[in-house]
């Protein structure tokens, strides 16, 4: 089952909206990757090579990072929603607990243990929403959350049980037509979202860059909506 549009069931006035975790419609959804006949559970790297995947277009790829190191390959998402969690045998989706890396630091290990139920990403008509299903905050940044032509990075803190529109399609179109990117430092991707588990970054935190966060996600959105 796909989760219902967040605006149809939650207060439209708040930027961040509480999520009813008891709602059975928000159970973990099977993704194309786990349904593919060529992919076994836990093997997320070959989802794009399945016969079904060739016929269907994906709406995003998810990369998992620990500090400056990307762990595992890109996870391709075809269904309208995807669960990204640490270790839930009864659920389907992107299981971060199965991604191995030698010589993890203690800081990374502690943060990984806080991911728990993780997040649910949902593609809706107005944009992409993220539900925080863990017991700890998540921190989000995207081009449509930033203030246009402002050098100050906007990082939103989303408490457990709340959701936020991490990417707004209408704002994105306006930004791509009007934004002057001369002010941007380093590589700039107008179709990406960054989400950190438990640890924040930016002007309000000791970590200035997301690469200083122990565990974080890069959501690479497809232009083919």
């Amino acid at each position: 089952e796909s989760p219902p549009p967040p605006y149809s069931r939650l207060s439209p006035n708040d930027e961040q909206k509480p999520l009813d975790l008891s709602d059975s419609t928000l159970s973990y959804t099977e993704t194309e990757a786990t349904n593919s006949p060529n992919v076994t559970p836990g093997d997320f790297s070959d989802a794009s090579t399945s016969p079904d995947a060739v016929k269907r277009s994906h709406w995003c790829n998810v990369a998992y990072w620990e500090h400056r190191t990307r762990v595992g390959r890109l996870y391709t998402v075809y269904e309208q929603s995807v669960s990204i969690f640490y270790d839930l045998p009864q659920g389907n989706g992107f299981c971060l607990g199965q991604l191995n890396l030698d010589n993890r630091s203690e800081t990374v290990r502690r943060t990984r243990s806080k991911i728990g139920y993780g997040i649910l990403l949902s593609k809706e008509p107005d944009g992409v929403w993220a539900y925080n299903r863990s017991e700890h905050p998540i921190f989000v940044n995207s081009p449509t959350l930033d203030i246009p032509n402002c050098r100050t990075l906007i990082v939103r803190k989303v408490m457990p049980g709340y959701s936020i529109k991490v990417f707004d399609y209408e704002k994105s179109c306006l930004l791509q037509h009007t934004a002057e990117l001369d002010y941007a430092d380093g590589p700039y991707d107008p179709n990406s979202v960054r989400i950190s588990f438990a640890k924040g970054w930016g002007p309000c935190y000791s970590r200035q860059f997301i690469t200083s966060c122990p565990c974080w996600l890069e959501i690479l959105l497809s232009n083919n909506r």
Side-chain angles (χ1 to χ4, degrees):
E1 296 181 42
S2 297
Y7 47 82
S8 68
R9 61 199 307 278
L10 303 171
S11 170
N13 298 323
D14 299 328
E15 186 178 59
Q16 295 182 18
K17 305 176 178 61
L19 173 67
D20 183 2
L21 296 179
S22 64
D23 193 333
S24 61
T25 62
L26 295 174
S27 60
Y28 291 102
T29 56
E30 288 194 15
T31 65
E32 182 69 22
T34 54
N35 282 333
S36 168
N38 288 355
V39 180
T40 57
D43 184 358
F44 306 110
S45 60
D46 298 326
S48 60
T49 63
S50 70
D52 292 337
V54 174
K55 300 175 185 177
R56 304 186 58 185
S57 61
H58 66 280
W59 64 271
C60 80
N61 287 304
V62 181
Y64 169 65
W65 295 76
E66 294 178 358
H67 293 297
R68 292 178 175 271
T69 303
R70 199 182 86 185
V71 184
R73 297 188 181 184
L74 290 178
Y75 183 84
T76 304
V77 180
Y78 299 92
E79 299 296 330
Q80 291 297 108
S81 62
V82 60
S83 300
I84 304 173
F85 51 88
Y86 181 70
D87 187 16
L88 292 171
Q90 71 272 26
N92 292 306
F94 191 5
C95 181
L96 303 179
Q98 295 186 356
L99 300 179
N100 297 319
L101 182 67
D102 295 333
N103 302 319
R104 277 193 172 102
S105 68
E106 184 58 32
T107 301
V108 171
R109 292 180 188 276
R110 285 198 304 267
T111 304
R112 279 170 62 86
S113 69
K114 296 178 180 179
I115 295 174
Y117 285 82
I119 65 172
L120 183 73
L121 281 181
S122 178
K123 178 188 176 186
E124 305 293 344
D126 63 338
V128 178
W129 287 76
Y131 302 83
N132 184 3
R133 304 196 68 187
S134 73
E135 297 181 355
H136 300 271
I138 60 172
F139 299 83
V140 181
N141 168 260
S142 83
T144 63
L145 290 175
D146 279 332
I147 300 174
N149 297 326
C150 177
R151 296 184 68 91
T152 302
L153 189 73
I154 304 298
V155 179
R156 304 288 187 187
K157 182 179 182 180
V158 184
M159 299 302 292
Y162 282 76
S163 63
I164 186 173
K165 182 160 61 174
V166 297
F167 195 85
D168 186 301
Y169 290 149
E170 184 175 353
K171 285 184 180 179
S172 175
C173 291
L174 293 174
L175 288 173
Q176 291 187 37
H177 282 89
T178 62
E180 296 181 2
L181 300 181
D182 293 340
Y183 67 92
D185 294 325
Y188 177 82
D189 187 342
N191 295 300
S192 68
V193 178
R194 296 176 294 173
I195 301 176
S196 175
F197 292 104
K199 305 293 184 181
W201 83 99
C204 298
Y205 300 90
S206 60
R207 304 168 190 82
Q208 293 299 298
F209 307 101
I210 195 169
T211 49
S212 299
C213 295
C215 304
W216 58 282
L217 301 171
E218 185 179 21
I219 315 299
L220 304 168
L221 299 173
S222 171
N223 289 327
N224 300 322
R225 295 193 293 268

